[in-house]
Amino acid sequence: MNRTAAPSVDSQSGHDQDGKPKGNLFTRLAKAAAGFTGRPLCFCLALGTVLVWAISGPLFKFSDTWQLVINTGTTIITFLMVFLIQNTQNRDTAAMQIKLDELIHVTDAARNELLDLEELEEDELERLRTRYEEMARKARQASDARRAHGRDSQR
């Protein structure tokens, strides 16, 4: 099997070999936002905002404008977070797929034709899933038979 070295990647620094930030502006912003929004500080800030809004209710006589402020703010934040979450999910999925492909590639007994399963149509994936489920069922049966045989021979 032809094995080639993987490209050198420094994923910890966030910079390429020339010291420039990795990724386009959106990717860098999405990573920074995902990192920040996943921290307890961000949750505390959001909770604090809601508490200030709730406490200010009597001051604004619980007016429609007072309610509109929180509704509009949360709607905008939710709308933007959907795109950030999807971007993060897409990058994570792509990275995991590359890692799995590398493991398949370097495993001698692996079938390299399985490297791009994510590109197959749903019916093709279902046929493969059924085939592997059948292989797993047969392997379990064989294992159960070996265990049962082992118990019989111990008596």
Side-chain angles (χ1 to χ4, degrees), residues 14-25:
H15 293 81
D16 65 15
Q17 293 172 341
D18 297 329
K20 296 177 186 170
K22 286 193 286 190
N24 63 34
L25 179 62

Side-chain angles (χ1 to χ4, degrees), residues 81-101:
M81 287 304 294
V82 166
F83 296 101
L84 291 175
I85 291 167
Q86 187 62 53
N87 176 269
T88 300
Q89 183 69 36
N90 289 349
R91 281 186 289 107
D92 289 349
T93 300
M96 187 180 315
Q97 189 61 52
I98 292 167
K99 291 173 185 178
L100 290 171
D101 286 349

Side-chain angles (χ1 to χ4, degrees), residues 55-129:
I55 292 169
S56 69
L59 179 68
F60 293 100
K61 298 182 174 77
F62 300 100
S63 67
D64 289 343
T65 303
W66 173 79
Q67 292 178 30
L68 189 61
V69 166
I70 197 72
N71 289 339
T72 303
T74 56
T75 299
I76 290 169
I77 290 170
T78 301
F79 178 75
L80 294 174
M81 287 304 294
V82 166
F83 296 101
L84 291 175
I85 291 167
Q86 187 62 53
N87 176 269
T88 300
Q89 183 69 36
N90 289 349
R91 281 186 289 107
D92 289 349
T93 300
M96 187 180 315
Q97 189 61 52
I98 292 167
K99 291 173 185 178
L100 290 171
D101 286 349
E102 176 65 10
L103 290 173
I104 291 169
H105 174 72
V106 300
T107 303
D108 289 333
R111 297 176 43 215
N112 286 336
E113 62 267 20
L114 299 178
L115 285 171
D116 65 348
L117 288 180
E118 67 277 5
E119 302 300 327
L120 297 179
E121 295 295 324
E122 196 65 34
D123 60 328
E124 295 172 279
L125 285 172
E126 191 56 39
R127 276 197 301 277
L128 280 168
R129 183 183 352 267

Side-chain angles (χ1 to χ4, degrees), residues 134-148:
E134 180 63 20
M135 289 170 59
R137 186 186 63 73
K138 287 179 181 178
R140 278 192 300 277
Q141 287 175 340
S143 176
D144 291 345
R146 281 192 303 274
R147 255 183 279 158

Side-chain angles (χ1 to χ4, degrees), residues 38-59:
R39 298 190 187 281
L41 173 63
C42 186
F43 174 79
C44 291
L45 289 172
L47 181 62
T49 301
V50 171
L51 289 174
V52 167
W53 171 80
I55 292 169
S56 69
L59 179 68

